[in-house]
Amino acid sequence: MTMLEGPEQVPLAQPVLAPLTRAAIFLVVTVKPEAESYATVRSFCGDLAGLIRAVEFRDIDAGLTCIAAFGSEAWDRLFGKPRPAELHPFREFRAGNRHAPATPGDLLFHIRAQRMDICFELATQIMERIGDAVSVADEVQGFRYFEDRDLIGFVDGTENPQGALALESALVGREDAAFAGGSYVLVQKYLHDMKAWNAISTEAQELIIGRRKLTDIELEDGVKPSSAHSALTVIEENGKELKILRDNMPFGQPGRGEFGTYFIGYCKTPRITEVMLENMFVGRPPGNYDRLLDFSRAVTGGLFFAPSATFLDGAGEAQPLPAAIAAPPAAADAPGASPVADTSLGIGSLKGERNE
């Protein structure tokens, strides 16, 4: 367990570990540049918990939760210092015609419930409060598809960590004590070419994913290619597998030919998810990339930090340092058009025995 010891020292986490639900809204906004806009958003942070309780009370059984997370530049302008140790702009990856782009986003609201109408109501109330201070960068309504399958027909999130392992994997602990109970959140929106995907055989699809389509059983080591999605997204360090907590959702508009997956991964460090993306887009070794990307295209990308609920409750009264408002941080170097030299990022080896 990575949390700090002692009941007075352990902040209350946002509901990162809440059970998976049937519906979700992923709402990404940017804060308008005026100081008043940042003041509005900062004040709202302390009121969010009460707003969630008010909407939740209308149907307790719906399991409504909402996680608020903040981008790197917005953090400095809203809260100043200190800041989460590993918060930085989204790292882009590009190789060949594969691109994981960074797109605008200061705040992410991840709203979950068993009913879409409850999610919709909370999103409406959030925008009633901060709508004049922000611009919507992206909004996606996600849904569970049959037995937790993606629109490409495979079960998604099979190897999500459970129990104590989920807590250890998803939440920051004593390694960054000032932000214990928080979590780094990486999101991407993928669009699928369903006509091309459905044109290949089930056996070919299974080799790309690394699992049987019907049973969700992982392919045998002698059958599964090293480029399989499940082979490139398993990370080990010192013999221990490192996990992230996913809550991906399908979305789409059949009338417009839009079929997609909203990827969202929570982790105590963004480096683990970044290694996964690097190996998907660049390849391990370079060129041995995730063949799923021949059919799926990333159109958004953002990295956020979801602080503890304790932090949010007190954030409305906090004031950022003047320097944080005047001088936003410089963008982190992105790998750009060529693969980076050290694909491990200090994490460890990648193995394909298990699907992440």
Side-chain angles (χ1 to χ4, degrees):
M1 186 166 175
T2 60
M3 297 293 289
L4 298 178
E5 297 178 356
E8 299 83 16
Q9 296 176 299
V10 181
L12 177 66
Q14 293 193 69
V16 171
L17 305 181
L20 304 183
T21 57
R22 302 301 304 177
I25 291 179
F26 306 93
L27 178 62
V28 177
V29 302
T30 57
V31 184
K32 295 178 180 179
E34 297 79 14
E36 294 81 3
S37 297
Y38 283 93
T40 296
V41 171
R42 188 165 53 247
S43 174
F44 172 74
C45 290
D47 299 335
L48 178 59
L51 185 60
I52 296 170
R53 287 192 298 270
V55 177
E56 175 191 30
F57 191 73
R58 300 176 68 174
D59 184 356
I60 296 296
D61 294 334
L64 176 68
T65 62
C66 176
I67 298 166
F70 305 86
S72 179
E73 182 175 325
W75 183 280
D76 283 351
R77 296 187 174 196
L78 286 167
F79 310 123
K81 296 182 180 179
R83 56 182 276 128
E86 296 188 76
L87 182 58
H88 56 261
F90 180 88
R91 295 185 64 221
E92 292 194 343
F93 295 96
R94 187 192 298 271
N97 61 356
R98 303 176 301 281
H99 183 205
T103 51
D106 290 331
L107 279 80
L108 164 71
F109 295 100
H110 181 196
I111 304 170
R112 295 183 282 189
Q114 298 300 336
R115 294 168 43 186
M116 178 54 73
D117 58 339
I118 298 296
C119 296
F120 186 89
E121 176 64 16
L122 181 57
T124 299
Q125 294 299 329
I126 289 173
M127 292 306 295
E128 283 285 335
R129 286 290 310 274
I130 65 171
D132 291 339
V134 302
S135 299
V136 175
D138 191 39
E139 181 177 0
V140 172
Q141 295 187 5
F143 55 87
R144 290 289 166 208
Y145 189 59
F146 294 105
E147 57 272 73
D148 292 332
R149 293 182 184 270
D150 204 331
L151 296 184
I152 62 174
F154 286 79
V155 176
D156 195 1
T158 301
E159 295 296 329
N160 255 354
Q162 304 290 325
L165 180 58
L167 185 151
E168 179 182 357
S169 301
L171 299 183
V172 173
R174 58 170 56 92
E175 68 274 8
D176 190 8
F179 295 100
S183 186
Y184 293 90
V185 194
L186 194 148
V187 298
Q188 291 179 295
K189 183 165 72 173
Y190 286 86
L191 296 179
H192 308 311
D193 184 345
M194 293 302 299
K195 288 184 178 180
W197 178 254
N198 290 329
I200 66 175
S201 67
T202 297
E203 291 75 15
Q205 293 177 359
E206 290 174 342
L207 292 175
I208 290 172
I209 300 300
R211 285 184 173 271
R212 300 296 178 189
K213 192 170 186 177
L214 178 62
T215 65
D216 192 39
I217 301 299
E218 191 162 5
L219 297 183
E220 301 80 5
D221 289 344
V223 176
K224 181 173 58 179
S226 61
S227 62
H229 180 74
S230 62
L232 293 174
T233 55
V234 172
I235 301 177
E236 287 191 353
E237 182 179 51
N238 300 323
K240 178 182 178 181
E241 185 177 355
L242 304 178
K243 295 277 193 176
I244 67 172
L245 183 66
R246 289 187 176 96
D247 195 0
N248 302 349
M249 281 278 196
F251 68 91
Q253 299 181 75
R256 296 184 178 181
E258 179 185 83
F259 302 88
T261 298
Y262 200 94
F263 166 81
I264 180 166
Y266 291 92
C267 195
K268 64 182 179 182
T269 168
R271 292 176 293 131
I272 297 174
T273 317
E274 289 169 345
V275 170
M276 292 179 182
L277 294 184
E278 185 167 10
N279 283 274
M280 288 173 59
F281 283 83
V282 177
R284 190 187 72 93
N288 189 53
Y289 67 92
D290 188 343
R291 267 49 180 185
L292 182 57
L293 297 177
D294 291 340
F295 305 89
S296 298
R297 176 171 57 95
V299 295
T300 70
L303 176 64
F304 304 86
F305 184 75
S308 68
T310 305
F311 179 95
L312 283 182
D313 286 343
E317 300 177 359
Q319 295 295 324
L321 297 179
I325 299 177
D333 292 336
S338 60
V340 297
D342 180 8
T343 60
S344 72
L345 301 182
I347 290 288
S349 66
L350 305 184
K351 297 182 68 176
E353 284 87 359
R354 293 173 298 281
N355 182 23
E356 175 66 331

